[in-house]
Amino acid sequence: MSESILFRPLSIRGVTIRNRIWVAPMCQYSAEACDGMTTDWHLVHLGSFGQGGAGLVITEATAVSPEGRISPQDLGIWNDEQTQAFRRITDFLHGQGATTGIQLAHAGRKASTYRPWAPERGTVPMDAGGWPTVAPSPIAFPGYATPGELDTAAIDGVVDDFVAAALRSIDAGFDVLEIHAAHGYLIHQFLSPLSNERTDEYGGSLENRARLLLRIVGETRAAVGEDVPLLVRFSATDWVDDGWNEEQTATVAAWAKDGGADVFDISSGGNMTGVTIPVSPGYQVPLAEYVAANGDVPVSAVGLITTAAQAAEIVDEGRADAVMLGREMLRDPHFALRAAHELGVTVDYWPAQYERSAWPA
């Protein structure tokens, strides 16, 4: 296992990532002042992954506008104060040898909700700090308020917000950008015919439903230049007949690659409730394989990847170019270093304070 591809660097445009073990974006709902600002929690949370040897550390879904937040406690990057606050985190991660990434997001009809551990559920009312939500069509996500339908001028504004947030992200020290087009948030809402009933240039055909994403990808690429890696996270399927599916994902991924995107982070679900998802170890890896094969694009795989051997097998067999870990990273922020130890791989980025852990047991 010492030759596992899992620990080989991966170069994307002007950035080289030290290994193929990447930290998936995971919302923390911990901007306690409801101002989108990072706190000590985010520094320690994200910083621990850099100490732990991860190759790429991606922040949680970070809103490109105040109304794009999932909850009032989400992070944002719509102003200069937020941009500068992120610097403390990116500087620390770079000091640990990690590559920094940020997931840029707009929650659409799933915005203005209570964070998961709040006693309340559903949409936060205006008098409690909530705000009106928007979507491609005025179709409510079950249990949430009905959103307003975005007109074309407002769609132009969303594109502008993503581009401005991308530029701020570079100023904040992020090496990699990821556009969030998954999990039932705004871009996914446009992509899926189950949440998009528009009859204009943003609805109907696959080309029209993909128009918002492709505009964001193309205009972001033009703004940030040719050296910045650009990822797109997709939900490959709604897990519903007649919904968004793997075939459409592969097609749109290929279009996005032509427009300037580089790697596609393949997850699933989130746009519809009451669906049956066949959850098991690595259950979304076949979705990543399908998109890679049929879209001819590089992919990362995510979803119940929990052991070093499993992660190595996925990459070594060519099923994905990298693995994204979420909950397992929460259980063990030093998963990457532990994986190197378990697989007998020598790496040169053990923190000096922890280096004794690299010695044979």
Side-chain angles (χ1 to χ4, degrees), residues 35-40 42-43 46 75-77 79-92 168 171-174:
D35 56 2
M37 293 282 290
T38 59
T39 67
D40 287 348
H42 302 97
L43 172 65
L46 295 167
L75 294 184
I77 193 160
N79 64 44
D80 292 341
E81 187 179 9
Q82 295 160 344
T83 303
Q84 291 307 309
F86 270 117
R87 266 286 178 187
R88 185 169 65 136
I89 294 171
T90 57
D91 285 349
F92 182 84
R168 287 196 182 95
D171 289 343
F174 287 102

Side-chain angles (χ1 to χ4, degrees), residues 6-351:
L6 190 64
F7 285 94
R8 290 185 193 170
L10 178 62
S11 293
I12 307 170
R13 293 188 183 258
V15 174
T16 297
I17 304 169
R18 63 186 174 187
N19 61 46
R20 315 297 181 95
I21 300 174
W22 299 354
V23 180
M26 292 178 282
C27 289
Q28 297 298 291
Y29 309 102
S30 294
E32 297 296 345
C34 299
D35 56 2
M37 293 282 290
T38 59
T39 67
D40 287 348
W41 176 269
H42 302 97
L43 172 65
V44 175
H45 165 70
L46 295 167
S48 65
F49 303 132
Q51 286 181 321
L56 171 63
V57 180
I58 306 181
T59 67
E60 64 192 74
T62 303
V64 300
S65 61
E67 62 273 15
R69 291 171 293 168
I70 301 167
S71 79
Q73 293 81 23
D74 279 19
L75 294 184
I77 193 160
W78 64 80
N79 64 44
D80 292 341
E81 187 179 9
Q82 295 160 344
T83 303
Q84 291 307 309
F86 270 117
R87 266 286 178 187
R88 185 169 65 136
I89 294 171
T90 57
D91 285 349
F92 182 84
L93 286 168
H94 287 146
Q96 303 304 308
T99 300
T100 57
I102 184 169
Q103 186 184 66
L104 301 177
H106 191 303
R109 68 177 185 169
K110 292 178 74 175
S112 189
T113 61
Y114 291 100
R115 57 184 174 182
W117 57 86
E120 304 90 346
R121 289 290 179 268
T123 301
V124 178
M126 297 282 289
D127 60 5
W131 56 90
T133 59
V134 295
S137 301
I139 304 170
F141 187 78
Y144 295 177
T146 300
E149 181 175 306
L150 288 163
D151 61 22
T152 53
I155 292 172
D156 291 342
V158 169
V159 176
D160 291 343
D161 288 340
F162 270 92
V163 174
L167 290 170
R168 287 196 182 95
S169 298
I170 302 304
D171 289 343
F174 287 102
D175 307 305
V176 174
L177 307 176
E178 179 172 86
I179 304 301
H180 197 359
H183 299 161
Y185 298 118
L186 183 65
I187 298 174
H188 185 179
Q189 291 161 28
F190 271 87
L191 292 170
S192 174
L194 301 178
S195 47
N196 182 350
E197 296 182 349
R198 300 176 73 97
T199 57
D200 65 0
E201 66 267 37
Y202 291 95
S205 69
L206 181 59
E207 293 86 349
N208 284 354
R209 286 183 280 118
R211 191 178 305 277
L212 173 61
L213 171 63
L214 297 179
R215 284 191 63 194
I216 291 170
V217 167
E219 294 187 31
T220 297
R221 171 57 65 208
V224 302
E226 294 300 316
D227 291 337
V228 178
L230 182 59
L231 279 59
V232 176
R233 171 164 267 199
F234 280 120
S235 283
T237 175
D238 286 334
W239 299 108
V240 177
D241 290 343
D242 301 322
W244 179 251
N245 59 34
E246 302 96 310
E247 181 179 356
Q248 295 173 73
T249 302
T251 299
V252 175
W255 294 342
K257 180 184 176 186
D258 290 342
D262 299 301
V263 178
F264 299 88
D265 171 13
I266 306 301
S267 186
S268 70
N271 197 40
M272 306 301 296
T273 59
V275 301
T276 300
I277 300 176
V279 176
S280 61
Y283 71 104
Q284 294 176 148
V285 176
L287 299 174
E289 289 184 275
Y290 181 94
V291 173
N294 290 275
D296 190 25
V297 295
V299 298
S300 62
V302 66
L304 290 186
I305 299 170
T306 59
T307 71
Q310 179 193 18
E313 181 181 83
I314 291 167
V315 175
D316 290 345
E317 292 181 353
R319 304 180 71 192
D321 298 274
V323 291
M324 291 266 195
L325 278 72
R327 290 175 216 187
E328 188 60 26
M329 283 290 184
L330 298 182
R331 288 185 281 264
D332 180 7
H334 297 161
F335 175 91
L337 292 178
R338 177 165 58 83
H341 187 261
E342 289 181 3
L343 298 174
V345 177
T346 299
V347 297
D348 61 3
Y349 39 83
W350 283 87

